[in-house]
Amino acid sequence: MIRIGVLASGRGSNFQSIIDGIKEGDIEGEIAILVTDKADAGAIERAEKNGIPNKVVLRKNFESREHMDREIRRILGEKQVDLVVLAGYMRIISPELLEHYTNKIINIHPALLPSFPGTSGTKDAFEYGVKVSGCTVHFVDGGMDTGPVIEQTCIRIDDCKTPEEVAAKILPFEHATMRKVVANFSKGEYIVEGRRVRYEGKKASAD
Ligand code: GRF
């Protein structure tokens, strides 16, 4: 059973996919805490509905990003979190938190990295005119969507007429990809070798 901490800024549909994965027995774990940096994040309502502890940590209450992340680290530590999931969390993580959770913080991005990083990935992919895009779950490092890739799903987007259509088409695949990766985390180990990531499931015991 892993203890998961989720950081979210918005509606929380990726957060929901983890809740569902646990409920349906796919993910062997528990969401120990939801932290949001927005008091009106939709994710909060989802947490309340599912009896998940949650905290709002607002940037304006701290003198720096580092101070804010120190508080988040304290909250995650208190809850003995093993895995930190950024589910639509729109902030760069400071070294303070990264060093404490090396290769234990993952993010979902709505494009095939390293193409179209940043906060407007779906719009940038649409405007570039790519025929195929998708989503990426990756480890978080100090850069913007630059950490080692854990899993990717490709989706044709050449039938989409607006950036919003691209985002809507990709979203359900984000949920499935995120859920699969968190389920894997709960049943084994992702091993990072340089930029490459491979998965080792738990060996079945002999008896
Ligand atoms: C997702 O598209 C995610 O990839 C991006 O922000 C969006 C968050 O959606 N980083 P939600 O809050 O999980 O519904």
Side-chain angles (χ1 to χ4, degrees):
M1 289 280 279
I2 54 165
R3 294 178 63 76
I4 305 161
V6 177
L7 271 53
S9 300
R11 79 195 142 178
S13 67
N14 279 286
F15 170 49
Q16 186 70 48
S17 76
I18 302 171
I19 297 173
D20 295 344
I22 293 171
K23 273 195 194 154
E24 288 159 27
D26 245 13
I27 298 172
E28 295 173 8
E30 175 184 348
I31 303 176
I33 185 81
L34 166 77
V35 177
T36 68
D37 64 335
K38 297 261 179 339
D40 61 351
I44 297 172
E45 206 182 307
R46 297 179 195 267
E48 299 283 342
K49 251 196 198 145
N50 291 279
I52 297 167
N54 58 89
K55 279 218 159 93
V56 179
V57 179
L58 300 176
R59 172 67 182 85
K60 70 172 169 61
N61 294 338
F62 298 88
E63 59 178 276
S64 70
R65 183 160 65 93
E66 286 71 23
H67 284 83
M68 177 181 180
D69 280 0
R70 201 167 298 161
E71 171 62 4
I72 293 176
R73 177 184 150 180
R74 193 194 61 74
I75 294 168
L76 297 173
E78 195 176 81
K79 294 288 178 183
Q80 296 178 303
V81 161
D82 309 301
L83 174 70
V84 181
V85 178
L86 309 189
Y89 186 65
M90 308 310 268
R91 284 181 185 280
I92 295 278
I93 303 295
S94 57
E96 162 76 22
L97 204 52
L98 281 177
E99 279 159 26
H100 198 73
Y101 290 100
T102 307
N103 295 338
K104 289 195 167 75
I105 308 182
I106 64 172
N107 180 46
I108 177 86
H109 181 74
L112 292 176
L113 294 171
S115 291
F116 314 118
T119 53
S120 55
T122 46
K123 185 167 171 278
D124 295 345
F126 176 78
E127 280 170 3
Y128 195 92
V130 291
K131 306 296 182 199
V132 173
S133 189
C135 60
T136 304
V137 176
H138 63 94
F139 282 109
V140 174
D141 64 10
M144 174 74 97
D145 302 322
T146 49
V149 171
I150 301 171
E151 187 59 83
Q152 293 184 302
T153 304
C154 295
I155 300 136
R156 290 209 72 96
I157 60 162
D158 46 354
D159 57 337
C160 296
K161 299 197 171 48
T162 62
E164 292 73 27
E165 270 186 45
V166 173
K169 189 167 186 189
I170 290 175
L171 191 63
F173 293 95
E174 289 186 41
H175 301 157
T177 310
M178 174 61 99
R179 178 170 161 158
K180 175 181 166 187
V181 168
V182 176
N184 279 347
F185 259 101
S186 74
K187 296 171 189 164
E189 211 185 339
Y190 280 104
I191 295 154
V192 184
E193 289 160 346
R195 285 215 52 93
R196 303 184 65 81
V197 178
R198 66 183 168 84
Y199 182 64
E200 265 184 21
K202 263 186 219 133
K203 310 243 178 330
S205 71
D207 48 335

